[in-house]
């Protein structure tokens, strides 16, 4: 009797260990695969062009060189301009977007708001059916006349049904009695929203704000559609896209810094630009990730 | 307080909808939308005749099915394994690493793929070379791209997606798990009979959401990986959204682009309604509406 009990215990223990070892191996390898490509970009950006031409991209620079960065920063005008556009866009867009998402989510969750189901459906429906790219493009360029205007990038990114639904499920946890008691005390709807609801939903605001900010920081699609090369300063990711896809762009900036055409570090310059354009996000992200996980977790548990 | 949101969706989502009328005309820039000649179903007929519509539909749906199935499988596997881990340190570090690809732009992802796959300098060919194997020309072999695209998708989305499942596992009552252990269930049985069934509702909800987008591609991924005009790869990489983008920005064929968009929207709409109807029949609690 005792022996069978012991052997059963033993069996259970080994199965647990097996699962753990599979886990360490599998997740460890996968996590490594997620990280390595970034190191590859970083390593290549510090490799001299001749070493790249000889032995290809590498994690560890065979011939260390900061020449690519030197050329990128030789004429910092363009990259600083793109940085400013993206930073301003991210700050303004996130602030306005967050306020609008919070307002909408709160209003749609208030039980005494008569049309809340109809408006919810009005918003949700846009995820089911849409006019598509061509009419959207014509709307922005020919009806709203926003071509080559930063608003064409800023405005469409402000709201999304997904974020509103997320906000709604957060607000659901705040008892309606709070709103009602504040009303009895004579507070208006906006006072209730600003002074009571917003402070109570800080975790939600942090998560949703991060979503919006990340969207603006990584924005390239609308800027590619609506900001033409006539504009000197465009968004950071579009700047990177141009460096990657057009050799002309790289040649021009090399010419501007008096580098012979054959000495242009074409490949390492692409990587150096990528590092410069991505840098801040990567630096912030370990701190920010916590909020993301918290936000997604709360959203997932509440359904 | 809803007014700004209503105005927003009215302008940016509803106003383009009547623009789908473009699909039924032969759009001419100088005559505008309402001056151009009415063409009826001519655009659609053309799309069917050239075989474009079939290729786009097949590619879009096949990629999405691979994304949804493999994506969820991998996310669930990662979440379940993370839950079994005892080392807090390992959990934290690995989650941070897996989450990283979600934070960067599609443009950078395209560059990373180039880093690995480039014929002359890519690390893949360096490795193949050192093993004495022939180098591969990834950017001109269509057959390789379903793998490249799906792997990149999984690479980018797994860390983020697994959090939802991980959170769901956290909600599992620990008493049930303890009871199963007393009854002699081993780790595999515990996962098979308790954890996985527990994740079913989450899986169904996520499945429904993704089915709704089954005709929507992942434009950024395809566009940045493949490049704007790599005709050699269209057979295996062209999806509805890249086609629409090209008809707008490269071919200036607005009517054809709209015809494909309309097809995409209607088809997607029907898929959602059908999927929701099916789920409501099987388990009413999990349907979306």
């Amino acid at each position: 009797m005792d022996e069978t009990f012991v052997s059963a215990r033993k069996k259970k223990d080994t199965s647990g260990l097996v699962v753990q070892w599979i886990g360490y191996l599998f997740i460890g390898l996968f996590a490594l695969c997620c990280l390595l490509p970034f190191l590859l970009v970083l390593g290549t950006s510090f490799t001299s062009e001749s070493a790249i031409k000889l032995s290809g991209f590498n994690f560890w620079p065979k011939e260390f060189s900061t020449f690519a960065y030197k050329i990128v920063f030789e004429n910092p005008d363009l990259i600083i301009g793109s940085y400013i556009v993206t930073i301003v866009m991210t700050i303004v867009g996130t602030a306005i977007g967050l306020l609008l998402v919070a307002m909408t989510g709160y209003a749609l969750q208030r039980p005494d708001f008569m049309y809340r189901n109809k408006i919810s459906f009005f918003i949700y429906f846009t995820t089911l059916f849409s006019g598509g790219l061509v009419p959207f493009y014509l709307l922005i360029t020919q009806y709203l006349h926003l071509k080559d205007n930063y608003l064409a990038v800023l405005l469409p990114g402000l709201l999304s049904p997904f974020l509103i639904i997320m906000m709604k499920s957060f607000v659901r946890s705040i008892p309606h009695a709070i709103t009602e008691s504040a009303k009895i005390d004579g507070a208006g709807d906006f006072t209730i929203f600003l002074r009571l609801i917003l402070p109570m939903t800080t975790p939600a605001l942090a998560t949703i704000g991060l979503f919006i900010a990340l969207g603006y920081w990584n924005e390239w699609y609308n800027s590619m559609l609506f900001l033409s090369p006539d504009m000197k300063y465009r968004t950071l990711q579009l700047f990177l896209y141009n460096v990657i896809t057009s050799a002309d762009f790289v040649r021009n900036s090399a010419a501007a810094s008096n580098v012979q055409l054959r000495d242009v570090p074409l490949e390492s310059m692409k990587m150096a630009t990528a590092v410069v354009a991505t840098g801040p996000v990567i630096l912030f992200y370990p701190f920010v990730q916590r909020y993301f996980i918290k936000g997604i977790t709360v959203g997932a548990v509440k359904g | 307080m809803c007014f700004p949101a209503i105005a927003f969706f009215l302008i940016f989502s509803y106003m383009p909808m009547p623009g789908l009328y473009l699909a039924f005309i032969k759009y001419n820039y100088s005559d505008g939308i309402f001056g151009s000649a009415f063409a009826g179903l001519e655009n659609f007929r053309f799309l069917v005749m050239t075989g474009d519509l079939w290729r786009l539909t097949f590619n879009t749906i096949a990629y999405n099915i691979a994304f949804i199935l493999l994506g969820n499988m991998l996310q669930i596997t990662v979440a379940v394994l993370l839950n079994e881990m005892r080392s807090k340190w390992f959990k934290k570090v690995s989650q941070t690493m897996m989450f990283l690809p979600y934070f960067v732009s599609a443009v950078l992802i395209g560059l990373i793929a180039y880093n690995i796959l480039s014929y002359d300098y890519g690390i893949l060919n360096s490795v193949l070379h050192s093993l004495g194997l022939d180098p591969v020309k990834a950017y001109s072999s269509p057959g390789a791209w379903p793998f490249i695209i799906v792997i990149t998708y999984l690479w980018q989305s797994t860390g983020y997606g697994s959090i939802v499942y991980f959170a769901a596992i956290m909600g599992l009552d620990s008493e049930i798990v303890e009871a199963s252990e007393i009854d002699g269930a081993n780790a595999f049985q515990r996962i098979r009979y308790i954890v996985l069934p527990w994740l079913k509702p989450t899986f169904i909800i996520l499945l429904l959401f993704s089915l709704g987008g089954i005709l929507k591609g992942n434009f950024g991924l395809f566009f940045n990986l493949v490049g704007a005009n790599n005709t050699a790869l269209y057979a295996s990489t062209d999806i509805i959204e890249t086609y629409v983008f090209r008809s707008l920005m490269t071919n200036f064929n607005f009517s054809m682009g709209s015809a494909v968009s309309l097809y995409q929207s209607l088809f997607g709409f029907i898929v959602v309604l059908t999927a929701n109807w099916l789920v409501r029949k099987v388990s009413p609690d999990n349907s979306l509406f």
Side-chain angles (χ1 to χ4, degrees):
Chain A
M1 183 67 199
D2 261 355
E3 241 164 79
T4 49
F5 180 73
V6 168
S7 74
R9 275 292 296 263
K10 227 179 195 169
K11 233 182 188 170
K12 193 198 75 186
D13 284 344
T14 43
S15 77
L17 271 180
V18 169
V19 171
Q20 280 196 40
W21 277 109
I22 296 174
Y24 283 120
L25 199 70
F26 183 81
I27 293 185
L29 279 177
F30 186 75
L32 216 55
C33 289
C34 287
L35 183 70
L36 286 179
F38 292 96
L39 298 180
L40 184 62
V41 172
L42 191 67
T44 308
S45 73
F46 282 110
T47 307
S48 74
E49 194 73 3
S50 55
I52 292 178
K53 293 231 159 95
L54 209 66
S55 55
F57 301 139
N58 235 310
F59 291 103
W60 196 253
K62 286 213 167 107
E63 222 178 275
F64 187 83
S65 152
T66 51
F67 190 45
Y69 287 94
K70 232 175 112 187
I71 295 200
V72 170
F73 285 115
E74 194 89 346
N75 286 287
D77 185 33
L78 274 181
I79 201 156
I80 290 176
S82 311
Y83 249 104
I84 292 174
V85 169
T86 296
I87 288 173
V88 171
M89 196 91 84
T90 305
I91 293 174
V92 175
T94 307
I96 302 176
L98 197 53
L99 183 69
L100 293 186
V101 170
M103 270 165 61
T104 316
Y106 168 61
L108 290 181
Q109 197 50 47
R110 255 180 67 166
D112 56 345
F113 180 45
M114 231 167 53
Y115 304 106
R116 65 181 198 281
N117 285 330
K118 283 190 182 110
I119 295 173
S120 290
F121 183 75
F122 173 84
I123 292 172
Y124 176 67
F125 182 74
T126 59
T127 63
L128 296 178
F129 194 86
S130 78
L133 176 62
V134 179
F136 177 68
Y137 181 84
L138 292 177
L139 171 83
I140 300 280
T141 54
Q142 298 192 2
Y143 293 90
L144 302 176
H145 302 289
L146 291 178
K147 183 136 181 94
D148 286 348
N149 188 325
Y150 295 122
L151 285 178
V153 181
L154 186 78
L155 292 178
L158 287 176
L159 284 171
S160 83
F162 170 70
L163 294 180
I164 293 175
I165 291 172
M166 218 172 145
M167 186 69 202
K168 262 172 69 175
S169 71
F170 274 114
V171 178
R172 202 172 291 161
S173 61
I174 300 173
H176 181 55
I178 292 178
T179 302
E180 274 182 333
S181 66
K183 245 192 172 153
I184 293 168
D185 291 344
D189 283 334
F190 272 93
T191 320
I192 295 174
F193 171 71
L194 291 174
R195 313 245 326 244
L196 279 173
I197 303 299
L198 279 190
M200 292 176 84
T201 51
T202 349
L205 295 178
T207 314
I208 292 170
L210 285 173
F211 268 108
I212 304 176
L214 196 62
Y216 278 111
W217 188 270
N218 286 333
E219 212 297 316
W220 59 280
Y221 182 57
N222 284 329
S223 24
M224 184 175 68
L225 285 174
F226 302 120
L227 308 182
S228 69
D230 305 339
M231 285 177 93
K232 195 166 173 205
Y233 303 123
R234 296 185 284 165
T235 50
L236 204 50
Q237 302 303 326
L238 189 60
F239 176 76
L240 174 62
Y241 179 79
N242 281 334
V243 173
I244 294 174
T245 52
S246 112
D248 289 347
F249 194 91
V250 179
R251 287 203 191 95
N252 287 341
S253 46
S257 42
N258 293 320
V259 174
Q260 290 293 313
L261 203 59
R262 62 187 161 81
D263 297 332
V264 175
L266 195 68
E267 297 300 330
S268 46
M269 233 185 107
K270 288 180 190 175
M271 309 302 160
T273 314
V275 172
V276 174
T278 312
V281 173
I282 303 258
L283 292 181
F284 273 124
Y285 121 93
F287 308 102
V288 159
Q289 185 204 6
R290 226 155 41 95
Y291 289 95
F292 257 110
I293 293 184
K294 217 184 268 166
I296 300 165
T297 310
V298 176
V301 173
K302 282 191 186 135
Chain B
M1 279 196 215
C2 288
F3 179 73
I6 295 174
F8 176 89
F9 286 104
L10 201 61
I11 295 173
F12 292 107
S13 299
Y14 284 89
M15 264 170 63
M17 285 183 197
L20 284 169
Y21 173 68
L22 277 161
F24 301 102
I25 59 175
K26 235 179 145 42
Y27 182 73
N28 180 318
Y29 202 84
S30 54
D31 297 329
I33 295 180
F34 298 103
S36 300
F38 187 71
L41 297 174
E42 195 55 36
N43 294 321
F44 295 94
R45 212 174 67 105
F46 182 79
L47 281 170
V48 173
M49 298 242 301
T50 51
D52 285 350
L53 205 59
W54 163 243
R55 184 191 71 213
L56 297 173
T57 311
F58 176 81
N59 280 347
T60 310
I61 291 183
Y63 276 114
N64 266 313
I65 288 176
F67 289 168
I68 294 170
L69 288 184
L70 296 175
N72 277 298
M73 268 168 55
L74 196 57
Q75 286 162 15
I76 291 174
T77 309
V78 168
V80 168
L81 288 176
L82 272 177
N83 185 49
E84 300 288 324
M85 309 267 89
R86 292 290 161 266
S87 158
K88 267 199 156 164
W89 175 87
F90 181 84
K91 263 194 227 186
K92 250 191 187 152
V93 172
S94 62
Q95 259 194 331
T96 306
M97 278 156 76
M98 289 188 288
F99 214 71
L100 182 59
Y102 176 78
F103 267 79
V104 297
S105 74
V107 182
L108 183 70
I109 301 225
L111 182 69
I112 285 175
Y114 171 78
N115 247 305
I116 297 169
L117 300 170
S118 154
Y119 178 73
D120 293 321
Y121 316 122
I123 198 148
L124 178 66
N125 278 343
S126 308
V127 172
L128 289 178
H129 182 76
S130 63
L131 295 174
L133 297 168
D134 288 334
V136 288
K137 285 187 175 173
Y139 285 94
S140 51
S141 10
W145 283 87
F147 298 99
I148 298 170
I149 290 173
V150 170
I151 288 172
T152 313
Y153 172 83
L154 295 176
W155 176 78
Q156 195 189 5
S157 62
T158 300
Y160 173 79
S162 62
I163 290 172
V164 180
Y165 284 112
F166 191 62
I169 295 178
M170 295 277 106
L172 182 58
D173 192 345
S174 60
E175 276 177 30
I176 300 175
V177 178
E178 276 162 26
S180 78
E181 272 167 10
I182 290 169
D183 286 349
N186 67 28
F188 294 105
Q189 287 167 328
R190 186 178 68 232
I191 292 171
R192 167 71 187 81
Y193 295 107
I194 298 176
V195 180
L196 290 183
W198 172 258
L199 291 178
K200 209 176 103 187
T202 314
F203 172 69
I204 292 177
I205 288 281
L206 292 177
L207 184 70
L208 264 180
F209 267 113
S210 41
L211 276 179
I214 199 157
L215 262 85
K216 289 189 193 122
N218 194 321
F219 179 80
L221 184 68
F222 284 78
F223 183 81
N224 284 293
L225 280 183
V226 179
N229 297 306
N230 196 340
T231 15
L233 302 179
Y234 282 169
S236 65
T237 61
D238 205 13
I239 56 166
I240 291 181
E241 283 167 353
T242 46
Y243 182 93
V244 175
F245 181 83
R246 264 203 322 281
S247 45
L248 175 70
M249 302 301 279
T250 317
N251 309 328
F252 305 107
N253 196 335
F254 289 17
S255 291
M256 215 55 85
S258 295
V260 176
S261 281
L262 178 60
Y263 165 78
Q264 176 190 30
S265 270
L266 280 179
F267 197 154
F269 192 59
I270 293 167
V271 172
V272 183
L273 293 186
T274 316
N276 193 60
W277 176 78
L278 274 175
V279 170
R280 207 161 45 190
K281 281 206 117 168
V282 182
S283 62
D285 296 338
N286 296 326
S287 66
L288 279 181
F289 46 86

